[in-house]
Amino acid sequence: MLESSVEQRLIRAARLLGGRAFKILPWVQRGLPDRLVVVPGQVWFIETKAPKKKLASHQRRMRDFFLELGLNWATLDTPDKVEAWMWERHEEREA
């Protein structure tokens, strides 16, 4: 499975949650995640990967920086992980 397939699944999941998944342009800053996902009441920085691919060191540094600021970050590398992420957001809204 390609990373683009995971990313397309994320775009659909964001829409199903009533939000959007905006593409972050890669030439702006090295290490930024692929998508800025805005769903009702939440903003997420999400890196999509092909299955079993790992974050590069510059991506790990950016992830750690965002998490230290208390921001939401997820790395999703399979359609199942996208679905799980989506259902977690849905359950948070219902709680």
Side-chain angles (χ1 to χ4, degrees):
M1 169 166 291
L2 299 173
E3 178 179 332
S4 60
S5 299
V6 177
E7 196 166 4
Q8 288 304 311
R9 186 76 58 103
L10 175 63
I11 292 166
R12 286 193 299 273
R15 287 186 184 145
L16 285 171
L17 290 168
R20 300 265 312 266
F22 299 98
K23 180 73 174 171
I24 296 177
L25 302 176
W27 55 83
V28 172
Q29 171 68 45
R30 188 176 174 155
L32 287 175
D34 296 316
R35 295 281 170 170
L36 172 68
V37 179
V38 180
V39 295
Q42 297 182 9
V43 175
W44 283 80
F45 294 94
I46 299 183
E47 177 65 28
T48 56
K49 290 286 187 194
K52 300 184 182 179
K53 294 289 183 180
K54 303 294 181 193
L55 293 175
S57 61
H58 61 278
Q59 292 172 316
R60 287 193 305 272
R61 284 192 299 273
M62 190 64 74
R63 176 203 59 201
D64 294 347
F65 172 70
F66 284 173
L67 291 174
E68 286 173 11
L69 293 175
L71 302 173
N72 296 313
W73 175 287
T75 302
L76 306 174
D77 64 354
T78 66
D80 288 343
K81 287 184 181 174
V82 172
E83 297 298 319
W85 176 87
M86 181 183 75
W87 282 111
E88 288 171 10
R89 306 295 71 77
H90 177 73
E91 289 172 3
E92 289 170 356
R93 282 179 41 193
E94 297 297 314

